Amino acid sequence: MTFWEKSDTIIHMKKMNTAPISGTEELLPALQAKFDSLLNEIRKVYRAHGFQHIETPVIERTEILLAKAGGETEKQIYKVVKTAETADEADQALRFDHTVPLARYVVQHLNDLSFPFKVTQVGRNFRGERAQRGRFREFYQCDIDVIGRGELAIAYDAEIIATAIDALQTLPLPNIQVRISNRKIIRGLLAELLLENSDLSAKVISIIDHAEKVSSEETHSALLDLGIDAKEVTKIEDFIAIRGARAETIGKLRELGIDNEVFAAGVQELDEILRELETRGLGNQVVSDMVIVRGLDYYTGMVFETIVPEYREIGSICSGGRYENLAENYTDIALPGVGGSIGLTRLFWIMQNYELIHIAELCAIEVAIIPVSELDAMAAEQLARDLRNEGHVVDVVRGGKNLARKMKYASKNAQEVVVVGEKESRSGKYQIKNMLTGETVDLAQWRSQKF
Amino acid sequence: MTFWEKSDTIIHMKKMNTAPISGTEELLPALQAKFDSLLNEIRKVYRAHGFQHIETPVIERTEILLAKAGGETEKQIYKVVKTAETADEADQALRFDHTVPLARYVVQHLNDLSFPFKVTQVGRNFRGERAQRGRFREFYQCDIDVIGRGELAIAYDAEIIATAIDALQTLPLPNIQVRISNRKIIRGLLAELLLENSDLSAKVISIIDHAEKVSSEETHSALLDLGIDAKEVTKIEDFIAIRGARAETIGKLRELGIDNEVFAAGVQELDEILRELETRGLGNQVVSDMVIVRGLDYYTGMVFETIVPEYREIGSICSGGRYENLAENYTDIALPGVGGSIGLTRLFWIMQNYELIHIAELCAIEVAIIPVSELDAMAAEQLARDLRNEGHVVDVVRGGKNLARKMKYASKNAQEVVVVGEKESRSGKYQIKNMLTGETVDLAQWRSQKF
């Protein structure tokens, strides 16, 4: 049995293009059920860690969305055309991530929230990106964040990573590895090299962010092209090569002999976060790596990415970091935060491509009940009601006298099948057949085992 | 303890309007948790009945959305502005319901689906309606539909209503009542009265649809104003007054002595659906009522609405019906369907207004663990890990030496609190305090009871 067996192919004339628009996705039911179960596992872990779920609107004021964002975002944002009834409202657009609406939400509800505010958002975001395989314009993101009021303990940086690891380990993936660094360390290094000029340092950070996607020669000449001395370029190259376990990395960083406060604070935070993760038994899943800087300019402290070492080419599957001022464009209150995000739509697409999801094993319905004729339908519905009350997913296949057709439907869609005829409904004794193994057992026995 | 107790009110300057846009909604975390639990109960019932979950994109081609819809919809639709990267794509807009995208989905995936296709969609839809209390522009709808290929047994009309009743009964509502009719009955009546002209009959149906919102005099003169004879107006008025239990209604309808096929078919279907619901033990929750016609012109057979008799003024909380040709604008294949929908965003708003949801009892976190100092933090995290593995929702309150502040946070957000100090972490013996009752018990005892 395979759920994906094609039904009788029929020829019909489409009057219109019915494909979903490019960059959006819709799944067939069995695959959707798998997606839902992964989403639920992630939600369950987030919830178990005490992250409170919120949902913000999909449509936001454009001025809120673009208060901080730069050119790239503005080019990709989906604006919404006002209708006759909303003509007098402010300009509106679709949210492109969860972070910006979260900042607005926290400012709006400041006095009704408790801090540190551990919060999760799971839903679709929208970006008008270039159409490309594996690039989505509508995609699920599963975010966690902790927002402090005035201050936020470094312990929450470790909690974000620990929660992300717990969540990722529910997915059908090989071993994962979280790569951690701290933006203060690179900032401190650049200050030491007298490259503190913000425009130049942003360019250096961008080159480091791309270093793994290009050859080391390209990185070298890109840095030289910025007008940086060869000696200093070597220092940057030596720096971004530092990676490994906590003791080793922290040792190497301290050996650099860089004497400024920002650098020292970054190393100290990195050490603290790695120590906590080790103590919490997650030492094998994390590594520090100075090449991790994260392009987004709102990160100010810890930054992380997550890779699947066995499939390194897929890039980061969960990223995040700390931002000192979540909502500086909306309020003058300091709201430091730390967060991370799993992009499940893309990750699910990858898992399908790597055959980590086995479609043939998926089945949409647990039990299909087939009344032989409509005369047996009420006995079938009563049995369905009883089984549903015991927690089973039950479909009663109704209509028509064609038993073979009903059996075919059931064998395609259900794990187990019960046929209800006159004899069965009179005696109340039913058999249940497993469509995968072909094994048939007494329903009473099956129920007592499942209950 | 109340979760909604305001934290210290602070004065801060907002730099921007951070309210969600008019007609959209965002809930505080405890209320969101309640909303989520209701949504999950509905999903669980839909799933238990064998409805397969699908999700279609929020953004659709405008030509798909407007293929059938009339003027009202077109005025309320949110069009999306193309970005630099999507400039060459077709015009796009946000879906305004689940039915239109479902029609497109079924045509697109026709050969990969099994029929009858029992399907559920739960998600947000978008309409640029006039801003008004209790009217939402972004709202959750929880839909179920059964789609047949070529034909679809009347049994599925009953299954839609039975599933809707099961779902609604999970919500914190007083008794509900489903009011059922059939569009064929009114069509048959109008044919009998020689008002078969589609324009005129559409107007009569619209007047009937509004009859409960205006006085009987207004309905009377509205019908006369259409140029209908007083005698025939009386017949229509007598007809829409027919309501009650199955035997009574069906009897009265047959006594009208209307002799046409469409009328007879409608009465026959209504009888069949009501009989099945009676047999399935749902006779007390359903009533037939000829005033129910549903304004939407795609319904062609059974139509239903659901009221809460105790709060009749809130109108229908779950409606639906049968449509003979789901996708006639997209394909020439006949795809009859029957469906229903619960508008949960509006219903949740109503339940809050009627105080059917008790906010004071809501609590976001089950257990808060408070380390006395950061020296006790790792023991606290280890304990949290163990409790999470047993299925509990656990927050560890980290950072700062101010125990009173951590206690205050915990008492606001959690049902139970465990304090972890040096003595506790050394002995491994913890106490757990219920913040509502003030009762303290050994954690080991609490765990063995909960496990």
Side-chain angles (χ1 to χ4, degrees):
Chain A
M1 182 202 83
T2 154
F3 181 68
W4 295 102
E5 182 188 353
K6 290 248 175 186
S7 58
D8 317 334
T9 300
I10 53 164
I11 294 159
H12 69 107
M13 200 184 71
K14 276 194 205 170
K15 298 177 178 174
M16 228 180 246
N17 178 4
T18 56
I21 60 169
S22 172
T24 69
E25 184 183 63
E26 59 193 12
L27 304 171
L28 285 169
L31 211 50
Q32 179 72 49
K34 185 68 188 177
F35 182 89
D36 292 346
S37 81
L38 301 185
L39 200 68
N40 278 341
E41 287 300 321
I42 294 172
R43 279 192 169 121
K44 227 164 81 183
V45 169
Y46 286 178
R47 195 174 139 63
H49 274 265
F51 288 87
Q52 302 179 33
H53 181 229
I54 65 161
E55 282 191 342
T56 63
V58 165
I59 305 177
E60 290 274 0
R61 285 193 184 83
T62 309
E63 66 161 4
I64 289 282
L65 294 179
L66 296 181
K68 180 150 196 175
E72 257 327 282
T73 311
E74 186 152 8
K75 266 186 261 162
Q76 295 181 344
I77 209 168
Y78 276 114
K79 292 191 182 161
V80 158
V81 179
K82 288 177 271 189
T83 69
E85 300 294 0
T86 65
D88 55 345
E89 312 267 338
D91 282 345
Q92 296 164 12
L94 305 185
R95 65 179 186 208
F96 56 86
D97 73 3
H98 287 313
T99 310
V100 171
L102 174 61
R104 183 192 54 67
Y105 179 98
V106 171
V107 173
Q108 176 68 14
H109 304 290
L110 197 65
N111 290 328
D112 291 316
L113 300 174
S114 291
F115 295 89
F117 180 40
K118 286 177 86 170
V119 59
T120 170
Q121 296 173 91
V122 174
R124 288 197 248 201
N125 291 320
F126 302 83
R127 286 182 206 172
E129 289 204 78
R130 196 155 57 89
Q132 207 177 330
R133 244 176 84 79
R135 286 265 182 178
F136 294 95
R137 290 172 174 170
E138 233 188 277
F139 49 93
Y140 268 88
Q141 282 187 303
C142 310
D143 280 35
I144 38 174
D145 289 273
V146 190
I147 313 297
R149 204 164 91 185
E151 54 176 16
L152 180 67
I154 287 297
Y156 287 105
D157 296 52
E159 171 67 358
I160 288 288
I161 293 171
T163 306
I165 292 173
D166 278 0
L168 290 168
Q169 286 184 338
T170 67
L171 303 179
L173 285 171
N175 285 338
I176 57 161
Q177 187 179 59
V178 181
R179 306 163 78 198
I180 312 177
S181 185
N182 195 304
R183 286 282 282 263
K184 289 179 185 169
I185 303 178
I186 179 72
R187 269 181 54 215
L189 176 82
L190 295 178
E192 184 73 12
L193 301 179
L194 303 174
L195 301 172
E196 212 171 357
N197 168 312
S198 73
D199 191 39
L200 186 59
S201 73
K203 282 176 185 158
V204 175
I205 286 173
S206 169
I207 290 168
I208 299 175
D209 194 33
H210 287 87
E212 292 190 300
K213 289 172 192 149
V214 298
S215 70
S216 53
E217 289 75 21
E218 282 174 88
T219 302
H220 187 79
S221 28
L223 288 169
L224 284 176
D225 287 352
L226 291 179
I228 304 175
D229 281 357
K231 214 179 102 193
E232 288 175 343
V233 166
T234 306
K235 280 189 184 165
I236 295 173
E237 287 167 333
D238 290 348
F239 168 78
I240 63 176
I242 297 176
R243 58 176 57 96
R246 183 186 59 79
E248 188 191 341
T249 325
I250 300 296
K252 282 188 190 163
L253 288 170
R254 289 194 171 133
E255 277 163 25
L256 292 178
I258 293 171
D259 182 31
N260 72 49
E261 271 181 35
V262 178
F263 184 88
V267 175
Q268 171 61 28
E269 287 175 15
L270 180 63
D271 190 37
E272 213 172 311
I273 293 165
L274 291 170
R275 273 179 199 272
E276 166 143 1
L277 291 170
E278 275 172 19
T279 317
R280 289 174 70 173
L282 300 168
N284 286 334
Q285 279 88 36
V286 300
V287 71
S288 65
D289 195 329
M290 293 308 113
V291 82
I292 302 300
V293 290
R294 306 294 304 148
L296 287 169
D297 68 353
Y298 58 72
Y299 292 121
T300 53
M302 181 277 286
V303 281
F304 75 96
E305 287 184 7
T306 313
I307 57 166
V308 180
E310 205 173 308
Y311 307 122
R312 221 183 147 111
E313 64 278 15
I314 66 180
S316 179
I317 60 167
C318 175
S319 317
R322 176 179 274 251
Y323 33 89
E324 247 1 275
N325 250 317
L326 175 67
E328 61 184 336
N329 296 295
Y330 314 139
T331 178
D332 52 8
I333 304 233
L335 295 167
V338 58
S341 180
I342 301 173
L344 194 62
T345 299
R346 180 171 165 271
L347 185 52
F348 192 73
W349 181 84
I350 289 168
M351 290 190 292
Q352 287 176 72
N353 282 330
Y354 281 81
E355 295 180 359
L356 297 167
I357 288 167
H358 307 289
I359 296 175
E361 289 166 14
L362 305 176
C363 211
I365 294 157
E366 189 187 358
V367 182
I369 300 183
I370 303 179
V372 173
S373 83
E374 278 296 300
L375 295 173
D376 312 300
M378 287 307 102
E381 292 289 357
Q382 182 56 49
L383 180 61
R385 193 163 189 85
D386 294 345
L387 292 176
R388 285 176 193 137
N389 285 339
E390 291 168 18
H392 299 293
V393 171
V394 185
D395 186 17
V396 181
V397 189
R398 297 287 298 274
K401 287 155 201 146
N402 191 332
L403 187 60
R405 200 159 125 189
K406 289 194 272 189
M407 284 301 291
K408 189 177 164 199
Y409 168 89
S411 73
K412 267 199 224 171
N413 290 280
Q415 282 161 39
E416 316 259 358
V417 172
V418 179
V419 175
V420 175
E422 201 191 334
K423 196 186 85 189
E424 287 84 3
S425 61
R426 207 179 311 158
S427 67
K429 283 192 178 138
Y430 302 100
Q431 303 279 306
I432 186 163
K433 181 176 179 179
N434 185 301
M435 302 307 282
L436 205 61
T437 64
E439 197 194 355
T440 298
V441 296
D442 269 355
L443 182 63
Q445 183 195 339
W446 184 87
R447 285 166 78 173
S448 66
Q449 281 164 357
K450 295 268 176 177
F451 202 55
Chain B
M1 181 202 83
T2 153
F3 181 68
W4 296 102
E5 182 188 352
K6 291 248 176 186
S7 58
D8 317 334
T9 301
I10 54 164
I11 294 159
H12 69 107
M13 200 184 71
K14 276 194 205 170
K15 298 176 178 175
M16 229 181 246
N17 178 5
T18 57
I21 61 169
S22 172
T24 69
E25 184 182 63
E26 59 193 12
L27 303 170
L28 285 169
L31 211 50
Q32 179 72 49
K34 184 68 188 177
F35 182 89
D36 292 346
S37 81
L38 301 185
L39 200 68
N40 278 341
E41 287 299 322
I42 293 172
R43 279 190 169 123
K44 228 164 80 183
V45 170
Y46 286 178
R47 196 174 138 63
H49 274 265
F51 289 87
Q52 302 179 33
H53 181 228
I54 64 162
E55 279 190 344
T56 63
V58 166
I59 306 177
E60 289 274 1
R61 285 194 184 83
T62 309
E63 66 161 6
I64 288 283
L65 294 179
L66 295 181
K68 180 150 195 173
E72 259 324 284
T73 311
E74 185 151 9
K75 266 186 259 163
Q76 295 181 346
I77 210 168
Y78 276 115
K79 292 189 182 162
V80 158
V81 179
K82 287 177 271 189
T83 68
E85 300 292 1
T86 65
D88 55 345
E89 311 267 337
D91 282 346
Q92 296 165 10
L94 305 185
R95 65 179 186 208
F96 56 87
D97 74 2
H98 287 313
T99 309
V100 172
L102 174 61
R104 183 192 54 67
Y105 178 99
V106 172
V107 173
Q108 177 68 14
H109 304 289
L110 197 65
N111 290 328
D112 291 315
L113 300 174
S114 291
F115 295 88
F117 181 39
K118 286 177 85 170
V119 59
T120 170
Q121 295 173 91
V122 174
R124 289 197 248 200
N125 291 319
F126 303 83
R127 286 183 205 171
E129 289 205 78
R130 196 155 56 89
Q132 206 176 327
R133 243 176 85 79
R135 286 264 183 178
F136 295 95
R137 290 171 175 171
E138 234 188 276
F139 49 94
Y140 268 89
Q141 282 188 304
C142 310
D143 281 35
I144 38 175
D145 288 273
V146 190
I147 313 297
R149 203 164 91 184
E151 54 176 15
L152 180 68
I154 287 296
Y156 288 105
D157 295 52
E159 170 67 358
I160 287 288
I161 293 171
T163 307
I165 292 173
D166 278 0
L168 290 167
Q169 286 183 338
T170 67
L171 304 179
L173 286 170
N175 285 338
I176 57 162
Q177 188 178 60
V178 181
R179 305 164 79 200
I180 312 177
S181 186
N182 194 302
R183 285 283 282 264
K184 290 180 185 167
I185 303 179
I186 178 71
R187 268 181 56 215
L189 176 82
L190 294 178
E192 184 73 12
L193 300 179
L194 304 174
L195 302 172
E196 213 172 356
N197 168 308
S198 74
D199 191 39
L200 186 59
S201 73
K203 283 177 183 156
V204 175
I205 286 173
S206 170
I207 290 169
I208 299 175
D209 194 34
H210 287 88
E212 292 191 300
K213 289 171 192 149
V214 299
S215 70
S216 53
E217 290 74 23
E218 282 173 87
T219 301
H220 187 80
S221 26
L223 289 169
L224 286 175
D225 287 353
L226 292 180
I228 304 174
D229 281 357
K231 216 179 102 193
E232 288 174 343
V233 166
T234 306
K235 280 189 183 164
I236 294 173
E237 286 167 335
D238 290 348
F239 169 77
I240 63 177
I242 297 176
R243 60 175 57 98
R246 182 186 58 79
E248 189 191 340
T249 324
I250 300 296
K252 280 188 191 163
L253 287 170
R254 290 193 170 134
E255 277 163 26
L256 291 179
I258 293 172
D259 181 31
N260 74 49
E261 271 181 36
V262 177
F263 185 87
V267 174
Q268 171 60 29
E269 287 176 15
L270 180 63
D271 191 37
E272 212 171 312
I273 294 164
L274 291 169
R275 272 180 200 273
E276 166 143 1
L277 292 169
E278 274 173 19
T279 318
R280 290 175 69 173
L282 300 168
N284 286 334
Q285 279 88 37
V286 300
V287 71
S288 64
D289 195 329
M290 293 308 114
V291 82
I292 302 302
V293 289
R294 303 295 305 150
L296 288 168
D297 68 353
Y298 56 74
Y299 292 121
T300 53
M302 182 277 287
V303 282
F304 75 97
E305 287 186 6
T306 313
I307 58 167
V308 180
E310 206 175 307
Y311 307 122
R312 220 180 149 115
E313 64 279 13
I314 67 181
S316 178
I317 60 167
C318 175
S319 318
R322 177 178 273 251
Y323 33 90
E324 249 359 277
N325 250 316
L326 174 67
E328 61 185 335
N329 296 295
Y330 315 140
T331 178
D332 53 7
I333 303 231
L335 295 167
V338 58
S341 180
I342 301 174
L344 193 62
T345 300
R346 179 171 165 270
L347 185 51
F348 192 73
W349 181 83
I350 289 168
M351 290 190 290
Q352 287 175 72
N353 282 330
Y354 281 81
E355 295 180 359
L356 296 167
I357 287 168
H358 307 289
I359 297 174
E361 289 167 15
L362 305 176
C363 211
I365 293 158
E366 189 188 358
V367 182
I369 301 182
I370 303 178
V372 173
S373 84
E374 278 297 300
L375 294 175
D376 310 301
M378 287 306 102
E381 293 290 356
Q382 182 55 49
L383 180 61
R385 193 162 189 87
D386 294 345
L387 292 176
R388 285 177 194 136
N389 285 339
E390 291 168 16
H392 299 293
V393 171
V394 185
D395 187 18
V396 181
V397 189
R398 297 287 298 273
K401 289 155 199 146
N402 190 333
L403 187 60
R405 200 160 125 188
K406 289 193 271 189
M407 284 300 292
K408 190 175 163 200
Y409 168 89
S411 73
K412 268 199 224 171
N413 290 280
Q415 282 161 40
E416 316 261 356
V417 173
V418 178
V419 175
V420 175
E422 201 191 333
K423 197 186 84 189
E424 287 85 2
S425 60
R426 207 178 311 159
S427 67
K429 284 191 178 137
Y430 302 99
Q431 303 279 304
I432 186 163
K433 181 176 179 178
N434 185 302
M435 302 307 282
L436 204 62
T437 65
E439 197 194 355
T440 298
V441 296
D442 269 356
L443 181 63
Q445 183 196 339
W446 184 86
R447 285 167 78 172
S448 66
Q449 282 165 357
K450 294 268 174 177
F451 203 55

